[in-house]
């Protein structure tokens, strides 16, 4: 009995250059509505800038005079100090609270929940007012064993300045929000990562430092960056302590002397925008640093452009080493069922 083997398809061959050019030809869709809308936005922006430049209420000469004034510069530096000190304390305390919230101990978890409930449930301005009145609530600070004679006694006003009270008030409020951010980041890491690290013999500290935290940072950094920017602007509320050397309060004091409020508000806004821009750039690079290896693996755009072309024959590109050109791979058409069963067909054979 004789049999005929089905013809094998020929090896993929490269299309000639004109065919390749025709295969990847694409026509960009036109969106006239988008162009019109974008043009209107640009025109409105230009009109707003020109109108603001011509408004006498802004008093741009006064803005230029006070934007680099020594009092404003020092107040901007104090605002930056408030932001940095408060965020450092808040991050440390937020990590501790996040670990407490994940603890299996119900007492520890309940204490962390109570802290978050209090500081997230009351306005930060009210909290700062309380910290400003702390010397009335606690006239002195005692160090020693409870219910015994104290070893050291300090007056609250002598130990805690208004600057320290402002930092403490801002940090304790911010720690409640950062605790939830850190907790969400830790929960975003798959449990198998922890189990695999334990199987490799890593300790808890090694697992957190090398496995869990680097992966959680990808989730933690974006909202933390937003909280830092929010903290920078929240420092304008420390006048409730009262602390009067921050940027907003100093600009308001100067405007009370000059009876010209709007230019000083513009000056304060310029400094806030300057610091915010720096923080946004730093946040961008931090996100890029910790997001390495994570993201969409998009296929080659040229391959996408060829796939689904009008001819329906091109599937993709295979780079040829040393050839300088790409090889276009043609799909192998599937054999029809009838042809496979027909012995007389070139595609079929005797079984």
């Amino acid at each position: 009995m004789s049999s005929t083997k089905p013809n094998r398809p020929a090896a993929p061959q490269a299309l000639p250059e004109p065919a390749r050019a025709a295969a990847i030809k694409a026509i960009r869709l036109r969106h006239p509505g988008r162009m019109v809308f974008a043009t209107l936005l640009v025109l409105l922006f230009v009109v707003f800038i020109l109108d603001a430049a011509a408004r006498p209420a802004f008093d741009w000469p006064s803005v230029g005079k006070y934007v680099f004034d020594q009092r404003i510069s020092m107040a901007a530096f104090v605002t930056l100090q408030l932001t940095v000190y408060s965020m450092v304390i808040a991050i440390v305390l937020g990590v501790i609270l996040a670990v407490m919230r994940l603890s299996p101990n119900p007492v520890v978890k309940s204490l962390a929940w109570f802290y978050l409930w209090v500081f997230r449930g009351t306005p930060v301005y009210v909290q700062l007012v309380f910290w400003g009145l702390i010397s009335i609530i606690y006239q002195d600070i005692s160090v020693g064993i409870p219910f015994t004679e104290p070893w050291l006694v300090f007056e609250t006003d002598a130990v805690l300045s208004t600057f320290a009270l402002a930092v403490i008030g801002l940090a304790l409020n911010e720690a409640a929000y950062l605790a939830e951010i850190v907790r969400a980041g830790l929960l975003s890491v798959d449990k198998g990562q922890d189990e695999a690290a334990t199987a490799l013999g890593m300790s808890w500290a090694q697992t957190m430092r090398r496995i869990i935290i680097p992966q959680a940072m990808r989730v933690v950094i974006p909202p933390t960056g937003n909280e830092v920017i929010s903290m920078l602007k929240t420092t304008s509320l420390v006048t409730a302590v009262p602390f009067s050397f921050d940027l907003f309060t100093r600009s308001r004091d100067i405007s009370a002397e000059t009876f010209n409020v709007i230019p000083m508000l513009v000056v304060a806004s310029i400094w806030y925008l300057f610091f915010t821009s720096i923080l946004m750039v730093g946040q961008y690079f931090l996100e890029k640093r910790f997001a390495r290896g994570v993201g969409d693996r998009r296929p080659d755009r040229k391959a996408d452009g060829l796939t689904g072309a009008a001819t329906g024959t091109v599937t993709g590109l295979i780079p040829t080493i040393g050839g300088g050109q790409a090889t276009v791979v043609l799909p192998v058409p599937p054999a029809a069922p009838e042809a496979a069963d027909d012995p007389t067909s070139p595609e079929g054979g005797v079984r």
Side-chain angles (χ1 to χ4, degrees), residues 29-347:
L29 295 177
R30 298 183 181 277
H31 301 280
R34 296 181 185 177
M35 298 298 297
V36 172
F37 183 68
T39 303
L40 289 177
L41 288 179
V42 172
L43 290 177
L44 288 175
F45 178 75
V46 172
V47 169
F48 173 78
I49 294 299
L50 294 177
D51 180 74
R55 293 281 177 178
F58 286 105
D59 194 3
W60 296 108
S62 297
V63 172
K65 175 183 178 181
Y66 287 102
V67 69
F68 294 113
D69 186 88
Q70 185 177 3
R71 293 170 292 179
I72 295 296
S73 301
M74 292 299 298
F77 179 71
V78 171
T79 296
L80 201 58
Q81 285 182 310
L82 287 171
T83 303
V84 173
Y85 296 161
S86 301
M87 286 305 301
V88 169
I89 298 174
I91 289 173
V92 174
L93 187 56
V95 172
I96 296 174
L97 290 170
V99 175
M100 292 174 63
R101 286 271 285 152
L102 297 176
S103 172
N105 190 322
V107 176
V108 174
K109 183 185 297 185
S110 299
L111 287 176
W113 180 87
F114 179 78
Y115 180 96
L116 269 61
W117 175 65
V118 171
F119 282 92
R120 294 174 64 190
T122 54
V124 61
Y125 190 86
V126 175
Q127 297 174 27
L128 291 174
V129 171
F130 266 106
W131 282 105
L133 300 174
I134 193 68
S135 60
I136 299 177
I137 302 173
Y138 302 98
Q139 288 81 10
D140 51 48
I141 300 175
S142 302
V143 178
I145 300 176
F147 308 107
T148 62
E149 188 70 21
W151 302 336
L152 297 173
V153 178
F154 303 97
E155 292 186 3
T156 304
D157 290 334
V159 175
L160 298 176
S161 62
T162 54
F163 179 83
L165 291 174
V167 170
I168 293 173
L170 293 174
L172 293 181
N173 176 264
E174 185 61 34
Y177 295 93
L178 287 178
E180 291 298 282
I181 293 174
V182 174
R183 185 173 70 92
L186 295 177
L187 292 177
S188 67
V189 181
D190 190 82
K191 184 64 177 177
Q193 301 286 325
D194 191 5
E195 296 173 354
T198 303
L200 292 175
M202 290 187 178
S203 63
W204 180 86
Q206 290 176 328
T207 302
M208 292 297 293
R209 180 167 54 90
R210 298 182 179 181
I211 306 298
I212 304 299
I213 292 180
Q215 297 184 62
M217 291 295 286
R218 177 174 53 88
V219 179
V220 170
I221 284 179
T224 302
N226 294 336
E227 291 298 320
V228 174
I229 294 174
S230 177
M231 174 62 72
L232 176 70
K233 295 175 289 186
T234 307
T235 55
S236 61
L237 300 178
V238 294
T239 182
V241 172
F243 181 75
S244 58
F245 294 99
D246 65 291
L247 178 58
F248 173 72
T249 307
R250 291 299 290 163
S251 63
R252 189 183 62 181
D253 293 342
I254 295 175
S255 65
E257 297 175 1
T258 60
F259 300 101
N260 202 0
V261 179
I262 296 178
M264 299 311 303
L265 291 176
V266 174
V267 169
S269 300
I270 290 174
W271 277 99
Y272 282 123
L273 286 173
F274 173 70
F275 289 139
T276 302
S277 302
I278 296 177
L279 293 174
M280 291 175 65
V281 172
Q283 177 183 350
Y284 168 78
F285 284 105
L286 279 177
E287 291 181 11
K288 187 177 180 180
R289 168 67 174 81
F290 285 97
R292 293 182 304 175
V294 179
D296 297 332
R297 268 73 173 180
R298 295 186 300 175
D300 188 23
R301 292 187 177 182
K302 294 183 179 179
D304 288 345
L306 291 175
T307 305
T311 59
T313 58
V314 181
T315 61
L317 296 177
I318 298 179
T320 303
I321 299 177
Q325 296 293 335
T327 302
V328 181
V329 180
L330 302 178
V332 179
E338 296 80 1
D341 296 335
D342 188 3
T344 60
S345 172
E347 303 280 342

Side-chain angles (χ1 to χ4, degrees), residues 19-30:
R20 281 187 69 247
I24 64 175
K25 183 178 180 180
I27 300 176
R28 184 185 297 273
L29 295 177
R30 298 183 181 277

